[in-house]
Amino acid sequence: MSKLNAEERKARDNQRFSQRVDERRVKGEDVVGYALANEKAFKFLTKTEKHSFKERQATLAEEAKLKKQQQFELKTQQELEKAEAEFTDTNQ
C-alpha cells in the first residue's frame, strides 16, 4: 500500500465523511447529532441541517455553562457551610 500525501488523505477523509453523512441521511438517522459528535462531518450538511447544528450547538454550550455555574455555586455553598461549621465548633 502506497503512502498518501496530506492532500490525498484529506480527500479520502472527506469522501468517507460525505458517504457516512449520506448513509445516515438515507437511513433517517440524526445527521446533525452525528455532526455534533464529529465536527468534520459539518461541511457535508445541508443548509437547513447546518442551521439546526448551530442552534443545537448553542443550546449544548448554554447547558454546559449552566451546569458549570451550578457546580461552582454548589461548591461555594459547601465551602461556606464547612467554614460556618468550623466557626461554630471553635466558639463552643
Side-chain angles (χ1 to χ4, degrees):
M1 184 170 151
S2 65
K3 295 208 175 210
L4 301 175
N5 64 28
E7 198 173 296
E8 292 169 333
R9 275 195 308 276
K10 187 174 181 177
R12 179 196 63 196
D13 292 346
N14 284 343
Q15 175 62 29
R16 287 180 179 169
F17 279 110
S18 175
Q19 184 178 7
R20 289 178 188 152
V21 169
D22 288 340
E23 287 173 359
R24 281 176 167 69
R25 194 176 289 126
V26 168
K27 290 180 184 177
E29 294 179 9
D30 185 13
V31 200
V32 176
Y34 175 67
L36 284 168
N38 193 335
E39 291 196 17
K40 289 182 179 182
F42 174 78
K43 63 182 168 182
F44 303 107
L45 298 177
T46 63
K47 190 173 185 177
T48 55
E49 290 170 343
K50 285 181 180 181
H51 181 70
S52 177
F53 173 89
K54 290 184 181 197
E55 287 178 343
R56 286 173 61 178
Q57 190 177 40
T59 302
L60 290 172
E62 184 65 29
E63 288 174 0
K65 181 180 172 185
L66 288 173
K67 186 175 180 180
K68 187 175 182 180
Q69 184 179 5
Q70 288 173 342
Q71 288 174 340
F72 176 76
E73 290 172 358
L74 179 63
K75 184 177 178 184
T76 304
Q77 183 65 31
Q78 289 173 342
E79 289 175 358
L80 179 63
E81 290 172 359
K82 182 179 176 184
E84 287 175 351
E86 288 177 3
F87 181 73
T88 56
D89 285 346
T90 57
N91 283 343
Q92 291 177 358

